[in-house]
């Protein structure tokens, strides 16, 4: 039988079974956008011929990485919300309120390029204005579950104190809900199923009960999942308690949100009882270790949530305070910080966190039948990593094997040589094939310059810690 592509001779890390399912001299056959066969090189080459072959000797062949929570447009103000107490109101929001649609779109493209070249093939892009941002995913060729992030907060947040009960702008919420519905109508299950949609209320503190009910009704009508921040900070708990006299999880339970179709980012500020309830209801957790560690100095309760039977997948969150969207970083941070927290080096071993960036991430998003592991019938989302780079060498293949530990603890993502999404080679020889990377980076830098000029024009920089530290020469 002749197929379109055979990748052969590499360490094929299938992510099937309990661990990582490595085939030492393995091969993957691809027909169209689907994996046709996985096995040893001898088996696959004996059964199939191909229009194209890729020699994967000295390479690891893995399923594409799955990012369960990312705001791609935020990259336009990368590195502007770390090292401060009020990262949202003294960092990201004043800057983003000065960004126009074309600026956010440029930031999104920059972020997608960064992540794809580091091996991310599936994005849960939870952002706005998604009707414009989603075209970046179309152009690059990524797999995306897209959600318009809906809130009723005023657009300009400069000078707002997060200790005060915030005013809502219902007209804004309705506009964003309309955009979310349009997004679903135009893009859900489009491009051969590579692009799908969810509904995306931003948080229980940022939407009225009336809007949350409308979002839930829309999700039910269109048979969609819901992605949202849940109990992400003490700020959220304060706001919801003051407005409704309930904690966020209690409010969402009353509104019927707590089902397996809810994908909850962070759940940092939850009690043990709330975590057990969320897990019992089948809610999945997006764990963004690097982001929450940097912006809040906290570690979300991932190990407890897993022990209660919850589903957990890794996400990168936002570039202003992470400061990158690189799942190799998230794997390493997640393993190390949990080992430190428990004073136990056996917690979150390398094979487990690699699963949390692949098959378990896909399971948490409800798409494990399509992506997350290398198995016949799944979508052909595959990455190749160079194992002969200095950080990945030497390669020990037996009787001890160091490939997975080095992927998690040594790799930076720069080792990703080839990226295949939906059967299409998107990155080859480290070069992005679908868009002009140099041109897109230049566009993002010009957009960032425009935001800086608007910041000067408003005078808001006087209140921003990063601007003050820049003036003092610390940055």
């Amino acid at each position: 039988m002749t197929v379109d592509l055979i990748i052969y001779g590499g360490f094929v890390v299938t992510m099937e079974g309990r661990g990582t399912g490595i085939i030492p001299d393995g091969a993957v056959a691809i027909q169209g956008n689907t994996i046709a066969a996985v096995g040893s090189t001898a088996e696959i080459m004996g059964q199939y011929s191909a229009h194209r072959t890729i020699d994967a000797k000295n390479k690891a062949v893995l399923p594409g990485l799955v990012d369960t929570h990312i705001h791609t447009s935020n990259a336009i103000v990368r590195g502007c919300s770390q090292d401060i107490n009020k990262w949202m109101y003294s960092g990201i929001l004043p800057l983003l309120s000065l960004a126009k649609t074309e600026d956010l779109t440029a930031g999104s493209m920059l972020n997608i390029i960064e992540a794809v070249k580091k091996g991310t093939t599936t994005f849960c892009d939870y952002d706005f204005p998604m009707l414009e941002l989603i075209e970046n995913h179309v152009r690059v060729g990524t797999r995306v579950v897209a959600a318009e992030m809906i809130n009723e907060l005023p657009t300009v947040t400069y000078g707002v104190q997060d200790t005060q009960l915030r005013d809502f702008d219902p007209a804004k919420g309705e506009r964003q809900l309309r955009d979310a519905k349009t997004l679903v109508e135009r893009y859900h299950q489009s491009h051969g199923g590579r692009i799908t949609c969810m509904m995306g209320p931003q948080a229980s503190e940022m939407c009225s009960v009336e809007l949350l009910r409308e979002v839930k009704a829309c999700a039910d009508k269109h048979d969609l999942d819901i992605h949202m921040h849940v109990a992400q900070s003490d700020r959220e708990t304060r706001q919801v308690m003051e407005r409704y006299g309930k904690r966020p999880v209690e409010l969402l339970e009353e509104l019927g949100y707590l089902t397996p179709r809810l994908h909850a980012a962070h759940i940092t500020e939850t009690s043990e009882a709330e975590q057990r309830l969320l897990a019992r209801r089948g809610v999945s957790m997006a764990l963004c270790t690097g982001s929450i560690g940097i912006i809040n100095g906290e570690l979300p309760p991932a190990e407890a949530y897993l022990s209660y039977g919850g589903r957990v997948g890794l996400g990168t969150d936002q570039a202003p305070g992470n400061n990158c969207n690189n799942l190799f970083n998230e794997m390493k941070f997640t393993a190390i910080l949990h080992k430190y927290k428990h004073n136990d080096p056996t917690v979150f071993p390398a094979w487990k966190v690699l699963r949390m960036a692949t098959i378990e991430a896909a399971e948490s998003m409800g798409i494990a039948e399509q992506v997350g592991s290398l198995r016949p019938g799944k979508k052909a989302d595959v990455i190749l990593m160079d194992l002969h780079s200095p950080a990945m060498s030497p390669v020990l293949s037996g009787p001890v094997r160091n490939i997975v530990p080095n992927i998690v603890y040594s790799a930076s993502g720069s080792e990703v040589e080839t990226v295949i999404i939906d059967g299409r080679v998107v990155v080859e020889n480290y070069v992005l094939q679908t868009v002009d990377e140099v041109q897109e980076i230049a566009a993002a830098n010009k957009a960032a310059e425009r935001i800086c000029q608007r910041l000067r024009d408003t005078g808001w920089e006087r209140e921003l810690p990063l601007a003050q530290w820049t003036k003092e020469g610390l940055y």
Side-chain angles (χ1 to χ4, degrees):
M1 178 180 176
T2 301
V3 294
D4 292 323
L5 174 64
I6 294 177
I7 304 164
Y8 69 94
F11 290 92
V12 176
V13 187
T14 68
M15 304 311 297
E16 286 285 300
R18 176 175 173 270
T20 57
I22 293 180
I23 304 172
D25 180 9
V28 179
I30 295 171
Q31 178 62 30
N33 68 348
T34 304
I35 296 173
V38 180
S40 70
T41 293
E43 291 170 342
I44 299 302
M45 299 301 275
Q47 297 175 33
Y48 296 90
S49 59
H51 297 297
R52 180 184 177 185
T53 59
I54 296 177
D55 184 350
K57 184 179 180 182
N58 301 322
K59 301 184 193 330
V61 182
L62 296 93
L65 306 182
V66 178
D67 193 323
T68 67
H69 182 72
I70 184 172
H71 310 283
T72 59
S73 77
N74 288 187
I76 199 59
V77 289
R78 183 194 303 275
C80 293
S81 290
Q82 70 287 292
D83 303 336
I84 56 180
N85 285 323
K86 297 180 180 179
W87 74 276
M88 184 174 284
Y89 287 96
S90 296
I92 185 173
L93 289 186
L95 292 169
L96 286 181
S97 67
L98 296 172
K100 300 185 183 301
T101 295
E102 59 268 28
D103 306 322
L104 297 171
T105 303
S108 172
M109 177 59 85
L110 178 68
N111 211 171
I112 293 168
I113 291 171
E114 171 198 6
V116 166
K117 293 189 71 177
K118 301 289 187 180
T120 299
T121 57
T122 298
F123 296 70
C124 180
D125 199 351
Y126 173 55
D127 210 337
F128 64 89
M130 189 52 69
L131 282 168
E132 283 74 25
L133 305 185
I134 200 167
E135 285 298 321
N136 288 335
H137 291 285
V138 172
R139 290 179 58 202
V140 177
T142 49
R143 190 175 305 282
V144 62
V145 181
E148 173 78 13
M149 194 164 62
I150 304 165
N151 69 65
E152 291 177 291
L153 297 183
T155 300
V156 177
T157 57
Y158 175 75
V160 172
Q161 298 297 319
D162 66 1
T163 55
Q164 300 171 349
L165 188 64
R166 291 190 295 271
D167 293 329
F168 282 158
D169 180 356
K172 179 187 176 189
E174 287 300 321
R175 285 195 305 272
Q176 292 187 328
L177 179 57
R178 285 196 300 271
D179 286 346
K181 292 176 180 178
T182 301
L183 180 76
V184 172
E185 292 166 2
R186 292 183 186 175
Y187 290 97
H188 187 49
Q189 296 294 355
S190 66
H191 297 79
R194 181 168 57 82
I195 296 178
T196 56
C197 299
M198 292 186 188
M199 296 302 293
Q202 187 163 356
S204 58
E205 63 167 320
M206 299 177 182
C207 300
S208 64
V209 163
E210 293 75 20
L211 181 58
L212 289 171
R213 287 194 176 111
E214 286 189 79
V215 169
K216 178 68 165 56
C218 184
D220 291 343
K221 177 182 177 181
H222 294 283
D223 194 28
L224 300 172
D225 289 5
I226 296 175
H227 189 89
M228 70 184 297
H229 300 105
V230 174
Q232 63 179 325
S233 66
D234 56 0
R235 179 198 66 248
E236 179 178 347
T237 301
R238 287 197 311 271
Q239 291 279 326
V240 176
M241 282 293 295
E242 186 171 348
R243 196 179 296 276
Y244 304 116
K246 299 177 177 67
R247 290 171 59 84
V249 171
E250 182 185 2
L251 177 65
L252 293 175
E253 167 79 335
E254 289 187 4
L255 293 174
Y257 269 68
L258 303 190
T259 76
R261 309 225 42 187
L262 177 63
H263 307 281
H266 312 319
I267 67 167
T268 311
E269 297 295 327
T270 48
S271 66
E272 179 183 333
E274 289 169 336
Q275 293 161 25
R276 289 182 181 275
L277 174 63
L278 290 168
R280 191 164 64 247
R281 292 284 189 267
V283 175
S284 66
M285 173 189 182
L287 171 63
C288 304
T289 307
S291 172
I292 299 304
I294 292 172
I295 63 176
N296 281 345
E298 295 182 280
L299 187 61
E303 74 286 1
Y305 201 63
L306 285 167
S307 74
Y308 304 145
R311 295 171 293 151
V312 179
L314 296 185
T316 59
D317 206 1
Q318 39 76 33
N322 189 352
N323 293 29
C324 62
N325 295 92
N326 178 350
L327 279 167
F328 289 96
N329 275 9
E330 296 305 315
M331 286 189 274
K332 186 172 184 176
F333 282 152
T334 297
I336 291 176
L337 291 181
H338 283 88
K339 293 175 193 301
Y340 173 78
K341 176 182 178 180
H342 296 282
N343 192 28
D344 182 354
T346 70
V347 172
F348 279 156
W351 63 266
K352 176 62 175 178
V353 292
L354 183 57
R355 289 180 62 85
M356 291 167 69
T358 53
I359 185 59
E360 292 182 17
E363 288 170 351
S364 78
M365 289 175 61
I367 56 175
E369 289 305 308
Q370 301 176 55
V371 298
S373 67
L374 302 179
R375 188 179 75 199
K378 285 197 173 187
K379 299 299 183 184
D381 292 2
V382 185
I383 64 174
L384 276 67
M385 298 180 66
D386 180 13
L387 297 180
H388 271 204
S389 63
M392 303 299 288
S393 296
V395 176
L396 305 181
S397 58
V400 296
R401 188 180 290 144
N402 66 351
I403 295 167
V404 169
N406 287 344
I407 287 172
V408 171
Y409 299 120
S410 299
S412 66
S414 62
E415 302 83 3
V416 175
E417 177 184 291
T418 303
V419 177
I420 299 168
I421 305 175
D422 218 35
R424 179 188 186 189
V425 178
V426 173
V427 175
E428 185 169 11
N429 250 352
Y430 307 99
V431 177
L432 188 62
Q433 303 295 303
T434 49
V435 298
D436 186 330
E437 181 178 346
V438 172
Q439 179 179 313
E440 298 299 339
I441 292 172
N445 277 296
K446 287 180 181 178
E449 290 171 8
R450 292 193 295 267
I451 293 172
C452 283
Q453 185 55 56
R454 292 178 201 131
L455 183 62
R456 294 186 193 96
D457 293 342
T458 62
W460 292 355
E461 78 275 7
R462 291 189 296 272
E463 302 296 326
L464 300 183
L466 188 59
Q468 182 60 39
W469 297 334
T470 301
K471 185 177 180 181
E472 294 172 1
L474 300 178
Y475 281 81

